[in-house]
Amino acid sequence: MAVSFSWVVTCALFIASPASGFSEKGLKQMLLEKLGLPEVPVLQKTDLENLVIPENMRNKYMTLLKRHRVKRRALPSLAGILRGIPGNADISGDVLYSDATRQNLIFDMEGRIPENSEVTMAELKLFKKPLDMKNLPIRQSQRPVMNARVSVYWVQLQDNGTNRTSLIDSRLVPIIESGWKNFDVTQAVHFWLKTKKTGPMLLEIWIEGERLGNYASEMAKVVRFTSQDPSDKALGKPELVLYTLNLEEYGGPGDCKEGTLTEKTICCRQEHYINFRELTWTQYWIIEPAGYQAYHCVGGCRQPKNLLRHFGYGERTCAVVESSPLPMMYLVKKGNYTEIEVAEFPNMIVEKCGCIMDNIAVV
């Protein structure tokens, strides 16, 4: 016997429960429960002053972040469909400041990202110059130093004129090798897209020793990128390579079409960016990331007739049916001092929405 269905729309443009995604209140409750805390730690801006991220914490965060990126790129909606932006694949950057251990880079992003597209990956390319052997420091250690640590930070200009940075990528670079070195700065481009008013994207590069000690620090100073030398012109300038998806052709299954939400919208996944730097209770607590694309589920579902309800079927609602974790670096208050911790928080990112009936997903 054929059974007809009626359409019942339960469109909600804001997150109402964890079933559709995290609201600010739900996010706070989840973080506190995960950390076993009764309330958000009382932290001030002074707790971030002169804050030094321990090497082991930074490495742990980068390991989790890279694993998270690999998982995200393995999703069916992204597999095999990365492409460069025609004519704009390589964006040359300029150097605002440079010394032996630090660089400030600026990239003009105006008109670089096509309308109705998603940046799925972005790479920063820096050209490492051949090693100048006469600049090598006198060896002061029994242990050889083979690498330098190069870290990339996104720089956010604050309204009060100060800067705040977010760690984006960090890796060991062999001191002897020369040539192009690539860094994953996808997160920086996403931050810029969500927080920009007008203006370019700023990145900061730090070159440090692969371990503690003066010798490792001195060895790191011999690592030179062409962008550190004002006499180096076009060849070897820092480059930003963007890979995008044309959402008209490759929009992820179940994603809402931008600007088309109505009372008749059927269950789909909508963008929902959470900015940790703007939430009063996270701005000093969450160190990394600066924010993230959480998404949430909106829209309605077809409902069974009363006939089916007699057989135990309930109302179908739009909810999360697939999610992924998010690595985070945060401060822990212990008496009069603070410590940095890193953890991976589950179910932070909505990957797929579907209609749920009696806790059974039908997608």
Side-chain angles (χ1 to χ4, degrees):
M1 178 179 66
V3 179
S4 62
F5 291 82
S6 63
W7 293 92
V8 177
V9 177
T10 56
C11 183
L13 298 184
F14 298 97
I15 298 173
S17 69
S20 61
F22 277 114
S23 63
E24 180 181 335
K25 182 178 179 180
L27 176 64
K28 182 190 295 186
Q29 181 179 355
M30 188 280 300
L31 292 178
L32 292 176
E33 289 178 355
K34 168 74 174 178
L35 299 175
L37 297 174
E39 58 185 17
V40 175
V42 179
L43 296 164
Q44 307 297 330
K45 187 176 181 180
T46 53
D47 291 309
L48 295 178
E49 294 177 359
N50 302 318
L51 184 68
V52 177
I53 300 175
E55 187 75 10
N56 64 322
M57 289 292 104
R58 178 167 58 180
N59 291 343
K60 182 178 179 180
Y61 177 73
M62 291 309 304
T63 298
L64 292 175
L65 191 62
K66 288 175 180 177
R67 187 174 69 185
H68 167 71
R69 288 169 180 166
V70 168
K71 288 181 180 179
R72 293 274 290 158
R73 288 177 188 160
L75 294 176
S77 61
L78 299 183
I81 51 180
L82 291 179
R83 63 176 177 83
I85 299 176
N88 290 323
D90 298 339
I91 304 173
S92 294
D94 293 312
V95 183
L96 293 179
Y97 173 83
S98 178
D99 60 29
T101 60
R102 186 164 64 97
Q103 300 177 54
N104 281 23
L105 308 180
I106 183 171
F107 293 89
D108 181 8
M109 304 291 284
E110 187 68 30
R112 301 292 189 173
I113 301 174
E115 293 293 329
N116 198 28
S117 66
E118 176 185 341
V119 177
T120 57
M121 186 167 69
E123 289 184 314
L124 172 67
K125 298 174 63 177
L126 301 176
F127 189 85
K128 184 181 176 301
K129 300 176 72 172
L131 179 64
D132 189 345
M133 300 299 291
K134 69 176 184 292
N135 290 332
L136 287 176
I138 299 174
R139 183 169 175 177
Q140 301 172 344
S141 171
Q142 298 299 318
R143 295 171 59 193
V145 174
M146 305 301 296
N147 306 288
R149 177 165 291 281
V150 180
S151 301
V152 182
Y153 295 83
W154 172 64
V155 181
Q156 181 181 14
L157 301 179
Q158 308 277 58
D159 292 336
N160 60 6
T162 61
N163 296 339
R164 188 170 179 182
T165 60
S166 290
L167 178 64
I168 300 300
D169 198 5
S170 182
R171 53 172 290 204
L172 294 176
V173 173
I175 293 175
I176 296 177
E177 294 181 6
S178 62
W180 288 103
K181 305 299 176 184
N182 297 345
F183 300 86
D184 188 336
V185 294
T186 310
Q187 197 175 32
V189 176
H190 288 171
F191 288 162
W192 178 81
L193 284 169
K194 293 302 176 183
T195 60
K196 69 168 184 172
K197 296 176 182 176
T198 56
M201 185 176 75
L202 303 176
L203 297 177
E204 189 166 281
I205 314 299
W206 281 87
I207 305 173
E208 304 166 287
E210 67 174 352
R211 62 173 185 264
L212 298 176
N214 291 334
Y215 181 57
S217 297
E218 291 301 314
M219 284 293 288
K221 292 179 181 179
V222 304
V223 173
R224 303 289 291 177
F225 296 104
T226 49
S227 54
Q228 290 175 276
D229 187 346
S231 65
D232 290 324
K233 302 300 181 183
L235 181 62
K237 288 189 68 175
E239 292 183 354
L240 182 66
V241 183
L242 302 179
Y243 299 88
T244 66
L245 291 178
N246 183 332
L247 295 182
E248 292 183 358
E249 299 176 23
Y250 298 111
D255 282 354
C256 305
K257 292 183 179 180
E258 187 175 352
T260 60
L261 288 177
T262 68
E263 291 184 354
K264 295 183 179 180
T265 297
I266 305 305
C267 183
C268 60
R269 186 182 74 156
Q270 185 186 34
E271 289 190 355
H272 177 66
Y273 187 79
I274 295 178
N275 191 331
F276 289 136
R277 299 288 167 80
E278 292 183 354
L279 296 177
T280 55
W281 57 276
T282 61
Q283 60 180 335
Y284 303 130
W285 183 24
I286 307 299
I287 301 174
E288 304 289 352
Y292 78 105
Q293 186 64 260
Y295 296 101
H296 63 182
C297 300
V298 299
C301 300
R302 286 195 305 182
Q303 303 297 333
K305 286 285 190 176
N306 291 335
L307 175 62
L308 288 184
R309 297 197 182 192
H310 288 313
F311 292 96
Y313 288 91
E315 183 175 294
R316 301 172 75 227
T317 57
C318 184
V320 179
V321 296
E322 187 177 322
S323 62
S324 62
L326 178 72
M328 295 171 62
M329 183 185 296
Y330 53 93
L331 283 179
V332 176
K333 193 81 171 181
K334 294 187 176 180
N336 294 326
Y337 68 97
T338 56
E339 288 185 355
I340 295 176
E341 296 287 348
V342 171
E344 190 172 66
F345 292 81
N347 306 320
M348 294 285 283
I349 302 170
V350 176
E351 298 291 358
K352 192 174 183 180
C353 300
C355 291
I356 298 290
M357 181 164 54
D358 295 333
N359 296 320
I360 301 175
V362 181
V363 295

